[in-house]
Amino acid sequence: MRMHRAVSYAILLFLVYAFSSCNLARMHGRSCEKRLERKGYVARTVTTPTGPRFAWYRDTGKPKLLLLHGYTGTGALQWSKTAKLLRKEYDCVMPDLLSHGKSAKWDTTHAGRSIDDQVAHVILLLDSLGVKAPVPLVGNSYGGGVAARLAELHPERIKHLVIYDGLV
């Protein structure tokens, strides 16, 4: 009887932990999105034949700052606090890279998916948001690799480049 009670208790604790951890992650994501909305950022989705392309964006007339998140992150999760801290100087552009957050998932059945696809994704978002002038660019982790390649392929679009803890 004691063994049965102990097993039942262990299963209950596991289920509480499992469901609360998923909920905590969702709550944190919503908290980051609310932080951006309070500072005037809007969620922008561009629909393409290959799926949605998503970014957080604000246009108050301040200079733009492009922020690229790391692997498994999203623009909101990684950059909402940074955007809040920089709100007096910059309007940040925080895309969700392909296969992250609300952007299109890569079709893994086709070869050729690469960082160049991410670069094309970011350029498409910048163009759709009307960001034509060169922008400072910050990339972290996987986003650092995307940032380096973006600067290499489109130097006319990048004013300054900062990579921290990146792939390069």
Side-chain angles (χ1 to χ4, degrees):
M1 187 67 157
R2 282 186 174 176
M3 181 64 132
H4 178 68
R5 183 173 280 157
V7 169
S8 296
Y9 185 67
I11 290 171
L12 178 63
L13 284 177
F14 173 77
L15 291 173
V16 167
Y17 173 76
F19 287 117
S20 66
S21 64
C22 293
N23 193 38
L24 288 175
R26 279 192 291 272
M27 287 170 50
H28 176 64
R30 283 193 298 268
S31 171
C32 292
E33 291 175 356
K34 295 282 186 211
R35 182 181 300 121
L36 289 171
E37 289 169 350
R38 283 192 303 271
K39 300 305 170 197
Y41 283 87
V42 293
R44 296 287 302 266
T45 301
V46 177
T47 304
T48 69
T50 57
R53 310 302 178 103
F54 181 83
W56 285 95
Y57 176 74
R58 182 176 79 166
D59 189 7
T60 65
K62 295 181 179 110
K64 302 297 178 259
L65 173 63
L66 178 58
L67 302 170
L68 300 181
H69 64 79
Y71 191 70
T72 73
T74 69
L77 284 173
Q78 183 157 351
W79 298 112
S80 65
K81 288 183 180 180
T82 302
K84 178 182 174 185
L85 292 170
L86 295 174
R87 70 187 180 275
K88 293 180 182 175
E89 292 85 24
Y90 292 99
D91 286 336
C92 297
V93 178
M94 298 160 282
D96 286 356
L97 295 174
L98 292 171
S99 288
H100 294 80
K102 298 176 184 173
S103 284
K105 306 300 180 237
W106 268 336
D107 178 359
T108 57
T109 62
H110 293 89
R113 302 299 181 203
S114 67
I115 287 184
D116 289 355
D117 295 328
Q118 297 286 13
V119 168
H121 167 71
V122 172
I123 291 296
L124 182 145
L125 282 167
L126 289 175
D127 289 346
S128 70
L129 296 169
V131 179
K132 303 293 185 192
V135 295
L137 169 58
V138 178
N140 168 250
S141 183
Y142 179 69
V146 176
R149 187 69 173 149
L150 177 59
E152 181 181 15
L153 294 176
H154 301 278
E156 73 285 356
R157 303 292 297 260
I158 307 305
K159 188 173 186 177
H160 306 289
L161 174 63
V162 176
I163 300 171
Y164 76 96
D165 206 15
L167 298 175
V168 292

